[in-house]
Amino acid sequence: MILLISPEQTTPDEIETLHHLFEVGLAHYHFRKPEASLDEHITYLNRVDAQYHNRIMTHNYHEELCKKFDLRGVHLEEAKWRAQETRLEGYVSAFAKANKKVSSSYHELEDLEAQSVTFDYTILSPVFAAISKSDMQGRGFDVRASEKCIVGMGGINAVTTPEAVALGFKGVGALGGIWNAQNPVAAFVEMQEAFKEANT
């Protein structure tokens, strides 16, 4: 699987580019706008063609947005799943019962492996030096021994995708590797091809 995280700040041509990305096969879009209000989230989703809503995982306003739109599911960033404490299992199962996918983020492999709550997939970062954050150094996590569905993020593009697959990642996630490219759609297609080739 290949997932793409939205830019934190919405750009003028973002929705148009997103539609093109969906058209060429983007199946997992992580909608993350940490500074946006609920109304701004709703306005954004209303601009996205409804046929693609079931490919979107929201990072914020889980209950509100899943009630209003037929989203794929919800994502719990590390601070959010930690804040749930003993309520986490119930929180995850409530969305699972509603046929929503639930994913989460980690920055330490040990924490990921120690998690007893089952997520559909987990994001582990940073695998390589991040493209969108110049100060974030890669950790080169090796997850070949893990039985969990782990998606690698941080410094992922078409060039580093095969390296991530070789480290045992079942999927790869991008942000800067796509959005910072001169042609985001072409960069995504290259990444798709690299992922497919690395898994054959």
Side-chain angles (χ1 to χ4, degrees):
M1 68 184 294
I2 298 177
L3 63 84
L4 176 64
I5 295 186
S6 65
E8 287 192 16
Q9 305 297 327
T10 304
T11 59
D13 58 349
E14 186 174 319
I15 301 292
E16 184 185 354
T17 302
L18 179 57
H19 280 128
H20 290 313
L21 287 161
F22 284 135
E23 285 164 12
V24 298
L26 174 63
H28 306 273
Y29 185 60
H30 276 242
F31 180 35
R32 180 180 180 270
K33 303 285 181 181
E35 294 173 16
S37 66
L38 174 58
D39 284 346
E40 287 168 329
H41 277 74
I42 291 169
T43 298
Y44 185 103
L45 288 171
N46 276 328
R47 293 177 62 204
V48 176
D49 194 314
Q51 68 173 311
Y52 300 126
H53 285 171
N54 62 3
R55 304 186 192 185
I56 298 173
M57 300 282 283
T58 185
H59 283 224
N60 299 294
Y61 304 109
H62 293 169
E63 293 92 347
E64 299 92 333
L65 295 180
C66 282
K67 279 178 187 171
K68 193 167 180 64
F69 301 96
D70 181 25
L71 302 182
R72 182 177 184 82
V74 301
H75 181 80
L76 287 160
E77 293 172 12
E78 187 159 352
K80 287 186 179 175
W81 67 253
R82 284 191 186 280
Q84 288 290 332
E85 297 179 336
T86 56
R87 303 183 305 276
L88 181 60
E89 192 163 5
Y91 191 85
V92 172
S93 66
F95 282 101
K97 283 174 186 170
N99 292 317
K100 300 296 179 189
K101 300 292 184 187
V102 186
S103 59
S104 60
S105 297
Y106 296 80
H107 295 94
E108 295 294 339
L109 182 57
E110 293 78 11
D111 291 340
L112 189 159
E113 292 294 357
Q115 179 60 263
S116 59
V117 175
T118 302
F119 293 98
D120 289 282
Y121 58 91
T122 55
I123 296 172
L124 182 62
S125 68
V127 182
F128 308 116
I131 295 164
S132 58
K133 297 175 182 175
S134 58
D135 61 334
M136 193 179 282
Q137 296 304 307
R139 302 276 302 279
F141 298 107
D142 187 327
V143 299
R144 284 175 292 180
S146 180
E147 293 179 6
K148 297 188 178 185
C149 182
I150 308 175
V151 175
M153 275 209 72
I156 303 288
N157 56 23
V159 175
T160 55
T161 288
E163 296 176 53
V165 172
L167 287 169
F169 288 96
K170 304 278 197 307
V172 287
L175 198 168
I178 300 300
W179 294 110
N180 293 352
Q182 196 166 359
N183 184 332
V185 178
F188 179 76
V189 170
E190 276 184 49
M191 198 167 145
Q192 268 185 321
E193 290 168 356
F195 184 73
K196 187 178 178 182
E197 197 173 307
N199 280 284
T200 53

